[in-house]
Amino acid sequence: MTDNDKTPRKRTRPTITDQEALLFHSRGRPGKLEVVATKPMTTQRDLSLAYSPGVAIPVLAIAEDPSKAYDLTVKGNLVGVISNGTAILGLGNRGALASKPVMEGKAVLFKRFADVDAFDLEIGTEDPDEFIAAVRYLGPTFGGINLEDIKAPECFIIEEKLRELMEIPVFHDDQHGTAIIAAAGIMNALQLTGRDIATARLVCNGAGAAGIASLEILKALGFRDENVILCDTKGVVFKGRTEGMNQWKSAHAIETPLRTLDEAIAGADVFFGLSVKGAVSAEMVRSMAENPIIFAMANPDPEITPEDAYAVRDDVIMATGRSDYPNQINNVLGFPYIFRGALDVRATTINMEMKIAAARALAQLAQEDVPDEVAAAYQGARPRFGRDYIIPAPFDPRLISWVPAAVAQAAMDSGVAQRPIVDMGAYKAQLSARRDPVAGALQRTVERVRRYPKRVVFAEGEEEQVIRAAVSFVNQGLGTAVLVGRDERVKETARQVGLEIDGKSGIEIHNARLSHRNTAYAQYLYDRLQRKGYLFRDCQRMINQDRNHFAAAMVALGDADAMVTGVTRNFSVALDDVRHVIDPKPGHRVIGISLVLARGRTVLVADTAITELPSAQELAEIAIEAAGVARRLGYEPRVALLAFSSFGHPPGERTAHVQEAVRLLDQRRVDFEYDGEMAADVALDRELMTQYPFCRLSDAANVLVMPAFHSASISTKMMASLGGSTVIGPLLVGLDKAVQIVPLGAKDTDIVNMAALAAFNVGG
């Protein structure tokens, strides 16, 4: 959708029945939370360490130095989600107990989006003093307090007093969460309409918690007091008004002759709605300034629907609180990540500087090209920065590294951080790893490639996800990207998806047919294949018309450092193309290795792509190659040669092959730990391994050599599909040049990861 297309794109809203909702919360274990132990609890020794007598040691350490609680307990990653149920969603005052499903849901969102642990607490009182007294003494338990669903004006009193009394962040999300997300959207909407924040006129209808907080952050961003009008159910909040006033409304009262919302909104640039359904009429929209910005955020139904607004104005930018319209003001974009950043620097509060930093980070992220994960959430309709995309999608995986880092930096700059972050780049990598195990596993790889950028050929350069991957590769500072394809086709595809690569530093387009190097490449290929039934014209055609051959020739003749392919062809087909051009590295074996990431462990599995039924000699070579890969990735290899049996029982033909492979490794005197044959559970479980005291491995294996290609492929694909594990690969190793082949139809993020691995393996 172009920026000039004003027709609202209404997404399909999920429909649920009352019975489905009740069943979701009641089936299996009631509720949405459980406690999971993070330390082993399988032996008497484990229990002794976890509780008595071992627990006495951390008790004494914390008594001597209270800051040790952050190192020895969950406090530093624990938030209390607390409510009295006086303003539950759009349902009003339903009581503390009725708020529990919402608070549990909030806790789940903390964990899902930012890996923050959270417990819900429902306080059975509507008296602000009693509520404050109940919460103020919880500081030793939590690293932060998230107040939720508390009605105004009590919520202002409660938050303000608790912030004074507690030395940990206290944050009322209904106020500040909505304000921060909306502020991000406003910054982008102002940019798109060419407005200056210092002169823009804004009307806010709704003087509750979110409305007041929104005006505070908007004014901190640059809106001037005289250009901002607050309205409530009594009309305009003006200086001298006495009816329905309180100290929080009075802070935003201005000198004005306007008395009604209708009068105030006429000529306004921006409308902020945090009130009720139907508060804004079509006539009000018609009276606004050119290119009006309307944030109708009442839930569940907005002050005016996008359809009604567009019916009278085709130049409007709309945002609502609903997921079935573009530009949803969704608090999940804020609170998990704001607390993540605050907790990581042990901030004593969440101040205005941190809120503004979060808003700016969100606004900037919305302007970035979105990855495939976001497009998938939009049913394949990839959004791009413009009138219908001024706020990031909640499922954008980059939120975890953008927002907390900005919040943490602001906390440090404003002096409220007790544990400053020294290396912000490393911190961002750690943040990404919390949501994406692949990011953690590849952190060392990416860092090294950034230090030594490479020239990588993306063979299928006309494909949309490949172009996106190339742009991301360059933007991440990993090197130069060479797209193989027809110049106009590549540029047109890029333009269609909102990317501009004309003259873009670090991206080149090479047309194989028109390249001045194709004669040299064809001759090189002919020299290799002339005794295998190929004529020169065959080789010329392969170079001119097949991008894999052209890309591989670029790498073989030193015109590029590495290549990545596979999006449009099966692994084996792509590998055959590449092997026409590139040989195995002398003394090495070409194999496929998959990295399995599960429960904090990384295990390499080989061979998952090349050798179908390896002999004993081939198994030994696979083990040596896999151990070398483990070392290059930063792991000290402990290699287990797997079978269906463990150390001779039960015997079998494949078992004999594995036993012979171990003897061959003995003869080679290799410099890594290895043993076999053993079953997978024995190889991966240290406790089971102790049943075989003669086993040579010092700990659970981190490299598994499978007895056959089919068992390796089946097992890794099962782990990836069943969940609980992430599988990278198979990685192609053993070739004389750096080449990686992605799975058919790979996403852009997968292509970037494989390109980084290819660059990492240059010369390796």
Side-chain angles (χ1 to χ4, degrees):
M1 180 174 291
T2 66
D3 292 352
N4 295 322
D5 185 353
K6 313 300 194 307
T7 304
R9 183 180 65 243
K10 184 170 181 177
R11 293 189 287 274
T12 303
R13 189 178 194 185
T15 57
I16 58 173
T17 65
D18 292 354
Q19 186 60 34
E20 284 176 317
L22 293 172
L23 181 62
F24 177 86
H25 288 82
S26 64
R27 66 188 174 194
R29 189 189 299 264
K32 300 186 287 292
L33 298 171
E34 66 176 335
V35 175
V36 177
T38 60
K39 300 295 187 292
M41 295 289 168
T42 56
T43 67
Q44 182 61 45
R45 179 178 175 79
D46 293 337
L47 296 179
S48 297
L49 287 168
Y51 197 56
S52 181
V55 76
I57 308 305
V59 168
L60 296 173
I62 294 170
E64 183 177 342
D65 179 3
S67 70
K68 292 289 185 182
Y70 287 92
D71 303 316
L72 299 171
T73 76
V74 74
K75 174 181 170 68
N77 195 54
L78 187 62
V79 168
V81 180
I82 306 179
S83 178
N84 63 2
T86 53
I88 303 174
L89 300 175
L91 303 174
N93 186 348
R94 301 292 174 139
L97 184 59
S99 75
K100 189 169 179 60
V102 183
M103 299 308 110
E104 284 186 0
K106 196 85 172 189
V108 169
L109 295 178
F110 266 111
K111 189 66 176 178
R112 164 65 178 80
F113 288 100
D115 194 25
V116 171
D117 296 312
F119 293 155
D120 63 294
L121 297 173
E122 291 71 38
I123 310 296
T125 180
E126 295 185 18
D127 183 280
D129 292 331
E130 292 178 351
F131 189 98
I132 291 165
V135 176
R136 64 175 295 189
Y137 298 109
L138 296 174
T141 299
F142 297 107
I145 300 293
N146 183 100
L147 300 174
E148 192 78 18
D149 289 357
I150 304 170
K151 68 182 176 72
E154 288 89 339
C155 63
F156 301 121
I157 300 169
I158 289 170
E159 185 193 43
E160 184 176 332
K161 191 63 176 178
L162 287 176
R163 290 182 66 179
E164 292 175 5
L165 295 172
M166 304 183 78
E167 296 181 352
I168 58 175
V170 178
F171 184 84
H172 184 210
D173 187 47
D174 296 314
Q175 292 183 59
H176 311 297
T178 300
I180 290 165
I181 313 310
I186 283 296
M187 284 189 277
N188 280 335
L190 292 174
Q191 177 180 327
L192 287 168
T193 56
R195 287 184 168 95
D196 183 351
I197 196 170
T199 58
R201 285 190 54 222
L202 181 144
V203 175
C204 177
N205 191 50
I212 297 295
S214 294
L215 292 192
E216 289 175 353
I217 193 171
L218 289 172
K219 289 180 179 181
L221 283 168
F223 274 94
R224 293 179 178 171
D225 288 346
E226 63 269 23
N227 292 335
V228 176
I229 297 177
L230 175 63
C231 298
D232 62 8
T233 56
K234 307 296 183 182
V236 171
V237 175
F238 58 90
K239 284 189 176 180
R241 196 184 103 171
T242 58
E243 185 181 10
M245 294 295 287
N246 58 43
Q247 67 189 76
W248 297 279
K249 292 182 187 180
S250 296
H252 298 286
I254 65 169
E255 295 281 0
T256 177
L258 306 176
R259 292 296 180 264
T260 66
L261 176 60
D262 297 62
E263 295 172 354
I265 204 171
D269 299 299
V270 182
F271 171 77
F272 246 49
L274 293 150
S275 51
V276 295
K277 174 184 177 181
V280 173
S281 67
E283 285 305 314
M284 292 182 188
V285 174
R286 187 178 284 113
S287 73
M288 292 181 70
E290 183 180 356
N291 288 308
I293 301 167
I294 299 176
F295 279 37
M297 297 174 281
N299 265 323
D301 297 301
E303 285 80 0
I304 186 170
T305 66
E307 290 93 341
D308 289 342
Y310 278 92
V312 294
R313 296 289 294 267
D314 64 358
D315 60 345
V316 67
I317 292 180
M318 283 287 300
T320 71
R322 284 174 48 159
S323 61
D324 55 341
Y325 293 113
N327 300 326
Q328 183 192 16
I329 307 300
N330 190 333
N331 283 20
V332 79
L333 291 166
F335 69 85
Y337 310 112
I338 293 166
F339 270 98
R340 177 77 276 155
L343 292 172
D344 290 340
V345 294
R346 297 182 189 171
T348 56
T349 188
I350 295 174
N351 57 26
M352 182 60 75
E353 291 87 347
M354 296 160 73
K355 298 171 195 173
I356 289 175
R360 291 193 188 282
L362 288 167
Q364 184 181 353
L365 181 56
Q367 298 185 29
E368 299 290 315
D369 181 48
V370 302
D372 285 343
E373 291 89 339
V374 175
Y378 282 74
Q379 289 82 48
R382 188 182 299 272
R384 54 188 274 199
F385 179 59
R387 291 173 176 268
D388 279 349
Y389 193 74
I390 56 176
I391 301 166
F395 289 96
D396 193 320
R398 299 167 298 180
L399 286 162
I400 185 65
S401 59
W402 282 60
V403 181
V407 171
Q409 186 64 58
M412 292 187 288
D413 293 343
S414 60
V416 298
Q418 298 182 92
R419 190 184 68 174
I421 293 168
V422 177
D423 187 341
M424 189 57 70
Y427 174 57
K428 290 179 180 179
Q430 292 167 9
L431 288 169
S432 295
R434 284 183 176 273
R435 280 282 310 276
D436 181 6
V438 175
L442 298 184
Q443 179 179 345
R444 177 175 174 270
T445 299
V446 170
E447 288 175 354
R448 185 181 186 281
V449 174
R450 285 201 181 107
R451 288 196 301 271
Y452 307 102
K454 302 299 179 185
R455 182 178 171 85
V456 176
V457 185
F458 293 76
E460 297 145 308
E462 294 180 0
E463 302 300 316
E464 177 184 327
Q465 66 265 50
V466 176
I467 296 172
R468 291 185 179 281
V471 171
S472 179
F473 183 84
V474 172
N475 289 344
Q476 292 184 47
L478 301 176
T480 300
V482 178
L483 293 168
V484 178
R486 291 162 290 185
D487 190 272
E488 285 308 312
R489 178 70 66 86
V490 173
K491 291 178 180 177
E492 178 57 29
T493 301
R495 281 192 292 269
Q496 288 175 1
V497 298
L499 298 174
E500 186 60 57
I501 62 174
D502 286 340
K504 185 178 180 68
S505 176
I507 294 184
E508 302 173 10
I509 303 172
H510 285 229
N511 186 325
R513 182 180 292 277
L514 302 179
S515 172
H516 70 281
R517 293 284 285 159
N518 59 10
T519 300
Y521 295 161
Q523 185 61 54
Y524 173 78
L525 188 58
Y526 179 60
D527 292 342
R528 292 174 52 81
L529 301 180
Q530 59 188 338
R531 292 184 178 273
K532 296 181 180 179
Y534 289 85
L535 301 175
F536 181 80
R537 64 172 177 266
D538 298 325
C539 297
Q540 183 91 54
R541 183 174 62 252
M542 291 160 72
I543 293 296
N544 286 350
Q545 299 180 9
D546 187 88
R547 291 162 191 165
N548 282 339
H549 286 91
F550 181 85
M554 286 189 72
V555 176
L557 271 68
D559 294 333
D561 298 308
M563 72 171 280
V564 61
T565 188
V567 171
T568 61
R569 300 184 190 181
N570 285 313
F571 187 99
S572 58
V573 175
L575 179 59
D576 287 343
D577 294 341
V578 170
R579 294 194 68 169
H580 281 150
V581 186
I582 299 173
D583 289 325
K585 184 181 299 183
H588 289 259
R589 180 176 190 84
V590 178
I591 63 171
I593 292 183
S594 294
L595 274 65
V596 178
L597 317 176
R599 298 181 182 178
R601 296 171 63 180
T602 300
V603 177
L604 283 69
V605 182
D607 170 12
T608 56
I610 310 296
T611 312
E612 185 175 359
L613 289 171
S615 64
Q617 178 66 38
E618 289 169 331
L619 284 172
E621 292 172 358
I622 291 169
I624 294 170
E625 198 69 43
V629 172
R631 279 216 172 103
R632 289 198 296 278
L633 291 174
Y635 304 99
E636 188 56 35
R638 295 185 298 275
V639 181
L641 287 85
L642 298 189
F644 62 86
S645 58
S646 293
F647 303 109
H649 182 78
E653 181 182 353
R654 296 307 302 172
T655 295
H657 282 342
V658 178
Q659 292 170 347
E660 177 61 22
V662 173
R663 286 191 288 271
L664 291 171
L665 290 172
D666 292 341
Q667 296 170 12
R668 297 280 292 268
R669 298 182 182 276
V670 296
D671 63 346
F672 56 85
E673 292 183 21
Y674 63 92
D675 209 346
E677 91 288 6
M678 65 180 78
D681 55 347
V682 174
L684 295 171
D685 189 326
R686 186 177 181 181
E687 293 296 322
L688 288 177
M689 196 179 289
T690 60
Q691 298 177 20
Y692 304 92
F694 53 84
C695 180
R696 303 171 184 176
L697 300 185
S698 60
D699 204 340
N702 56 13
V703 179
L704 306 179
V705 175
M706 292 290 192
F709 167 23
H710 59 264
S711 56
S713 180
I714 291 170
S715 59
T716 53
K717 288 178 180 177
M718 282 181 62
M719 286 186 282
S721 297
L722 290 175
S725 300
T726 300
V727 179
I728 306 174
L731 312 182
L732 185 61
V733 299
L735 284 175
D736 199 30
K737 300 292 182 179
V739 178
Q740 290 301 335
I741 301 173
V742 301
L744 192 67
K747 296 178 180 178
D748 52 3
T749 49
D750 299 326
I751 301 168
V752 174
N753 288 337
M754 291 299 251
L757 284 163
F760 177 80
N761 287 322
V762 172

